[in-house]
Amino acid sequence: MLDLRWIRENVEYVRRKMAERGVDVGLDEFLEKDALRRSLLQEVEALKHRRNELTRQIGRLKQTGQDPTDLLQENQRISARIEELDARVAELDAWVEAWLLRVPNIPHESVPVGPDASHNIEVRRWGEIPSFAFPVRDHVDLGRFLGILDLERAAKIAAARFPLFKGRGARLVRALAQFMLDLHIREHGYQEVWVPYLVNRTTMTGTGQLPKFEADLYAVPSDDLFLIPTAEVPVTNLFREETLSESELPIRLVCWSPCFRREAGAYGQESKGLIRQHQFDKVELVHITTPERSYDDLEVLTHHAEAVLQRLGIPYRVMLLCTGDMGFAAAKTYDIEAWLPSQQRWLEVSSCSNCGDFQARRMGLRYRPAGGGKARYAHTLNGSGLAIGRTIVVLLENYQQADGSVLIPPALRPYLDGLEYLTPGA
RNA sequence: GGAGAGGUGUCCGAGCGGUCGAAGGAGCACGGCUGGAAACCGUGUACCCGCCGCAAGGCGGGUCGUGGGUUCAAAUCCCACCCUCUCCGCCA
C-alpha cells in the first residue's frame, strides 16, 4: 500500500507510474473523495473539540452542585451532528482504505518501462543450452515412461491440474526440497521456518493477495481461511504488527511449503503437464531488511536462487521484468528462467522481488533505527529458491538420455542414495 | 466443544467512571562520569489522522485485543466476537 499523504503530494508522479504499469486506479475519484473526507473531518473535529470542553464544564458544575442543563442541551445538539458527520467520514474512510488496498506498488526507477513481457530485459545467462542427437521428449512423456508421474490418477482423486508423484518421483520432490534447503541454510545463512498453510484474511491482505485477488485463492469459507499460494504469505507476515530492532536486520528466512493456486483459465502448451498446477512445492526465500540496503539485497537474494540451478547444472537466464509485467506488490522483480528443451524456450522457475515498504505498510512491519528515533517501515523481499515442480520439469528434460533415462546431477545424488540415473521401474 | 484466567506503550507491568496517553521498571537515545568501557547519575523516549508552518514545531481529533452499548464523561461498567494461557473432553 502506498502512503496516503505521499500520494496527495505526488499525484502526477503516481499517475505516470500507474500508467507505466498499464493500470488505471482512478486517481481523480480518489482525490475527490479524499478532499471531501478531509473537509468533513475538520468540521467534525471542531465539534468534538467543543464537546470535550462541554464535558469538562459539565463535570465541574455537577461537582459544585450547579445546574448544567444548558450545557447538556448544547451537548446533545452537537452530538447529534457529530454522529451524522462521523458516519459520513467513516464511509469515506472505508472507501479510501479499500482504494488504497487495490493500488499496486510504484515501480522502482531502475525498472524498464513496457506494456508486457516482451519488454523485459535479459540481464545475464548461465550454462550451455543442451543439444540432443535424438528426438527430445517432454517431461510428461519422460515422467510416464519412468513411472514417476501419474496425472490421470491425480485428476481422479482431486481434479485436473493436481500432481501425483510416485516412487522415485516422490523421492525426487523430497530430495530437491532437502537439497535447496541445505544450500540456503548452510551456505547462504538462512533460518528455516515451517509455517501454517492456511492463513487468515488479515495475513493475505498484508502481502497483497487480498482484497484484489481473492478469486485466485483456494478458500475455506467455514473458517474464513485461505490456502497459501506461496510461503511468502505466512513467512513475510511473521513479523506483522511488530517493531523490530535494526540490529535484528536483515532477517533471512527459508521455507519449504506446498503452494495452492486456482489458476483459472490457464491452458495450452504454456501450462502443459507440471508447468502450471493447482498444487506444487516451493522453497521460498524471504528477506526483511532496511530501505538503505533492500536493492542490494535483491541482487543477493537473486544470486541465492541462481545458485540452485548452477549446482544442478541447468542453464538459465535472468530477466529484469518491465513495469507492465510485474506483480502487484513488487517494486522490482527478477525472474529466473530455466531452459525447457521440449518447447525450445525459457521457463520461469523463480521470481525474486523487492516489495520496498509496500507490504510492510500494509502489515505494520517496522523497525527501530540503530541510532534511535522514530520507527520506520522495513523493506520486504521474496523469491523462489526454487519452485520444485518446475525444477523437476527442467531437470527431467535437460538431463534426458537417448534411452529415456534421466541423469541425476551429482549435487543431487547424496539426497537419492547416490542414484545416478532415473530408469523405468523401481 | 465445555469451565476458568487474561489481553495496556519497543518489552515487562500498575491503573477508585472524570484530575490517564496512561505509575513503576527494562530497553533504547542523548549528556555527565571514565584513558576507554561496565556500573552509576541526569534528561528524553507510543501510534494514527487533520489543520497551520520551508522547517523545528504548534494546535486539534482519535487510539489501552476488535466491534457495539450505557453515561454529560469509559483503559476502567455492560454485550458480542477474536486471540493467549490453565483444566476437562476429543484426537494424528
Side-chain angles (χ1 to χ4, degrees), chain A residues 194-387:
Chain A
W194 192 95
V195 299
Y197 303 146
L198 273 68
V199 300
N200 59 39
R201 201 169 272 281
T202 309
T203 297
M204 280 295 185
T205 306
T207 30
Q209 282 71 28
L210 291 180
K212 206 172 174 186
F213 306 103
E214 184 157 356
D216 298 343
L217 300 171
Y218 284 106
V220 183
S222 57
D223 296 285
D224 204 27
L225 294 172
F226 299 87
L227 279 73
I228 59 170
T230 160
E232 167 201 342
V233 174
V235 176
T236 309
N237 273 279
L238 244 34
F239 304 101
R240 170 154 51 82
E241 287 153 56
E242 294 191 25
T243 302
L244 304 167
S245 155
E246 182 168 355
S247 60
E248 298 174 73
L249 303 179
I251 291 171
R252 293 180 173 176
L253 301 170
V254 60
C255 180
W256 170 29
S257 87
C259 304
F260 303 93
R261 301 183 181 182
R262 291 191 63 222
E263 304 287 5
Y267 297 100
Q269 273 292 301
E270 289 277 309
S271 54
K272 185 170 186 179
L274 291 179
I275 290 175
R276 191 174 298 279
Q277 296 272 295
H278 291 310
Q279 176 185 327
F280 59 95
D281 277 24
K282 179 160 55 64
V283 169
E284 182 76 0
L285 307 173
V286 168
H287 290 198
I288 294 169
T289 188
T290 61
E292 286 73 25
R293 56 180 292 171
S294 71
Y295 284 92
D296 288 339
D297 279 353
L298 177 60
E299 302 301 323
V300 170
L301 185 150
T302 305
H303 282 289
H304 288 162
E306 286 174 61
V308 176
L309 288 167
Q310 292 178 8
R311 298 296 170 97
L312 294 175
I314 295 172
Y316 68 86
R317 63 176 189 173
V318 177
M319 304 296 287
L320 173 58
L321 298 197
C322 74
T323 50
D325 201 30
M326 272 198 309
F328 179 74
K332 182 174 184 175
T333 299
Y334 291 112
D335 272 6
I336 302 174
E337 303 180 336
W339 181 247
L340 184 65
S342 66
Q343 297 184 25
Q344 293 290 296
R345 69 174 178 100
W346 301 96
L347 176 67
E348 177 190 334
V349 293
S350 174
S351 191
C352 303
S353 299
N354 182 3
C355 296
D357 63 6
F358 185 84
Q359 294 180 324
R361 182 173 288 108
R362 284 175 162 249
M363 63 175 81
L365 166 52
R366 290 175 235 264
Y367 73 97
R368 181 95 42 205
K374 274 179 81 77
R376 310 165 69 196
Y377 287 115
H379 279 205
T380 61
L381 296 83
N382 64 77
S384 351
L386 308 165

Side-chain angles (χ1 to χ4, degrees), chain A residues 409-424:
Chain A
L412 204 53
R413 291 178 196 166
Y415 296 91
L416 292 165
D417 288 336
L419 188 73
E420 289 179 33
Y421 287 93
L422 282 173
T423 52

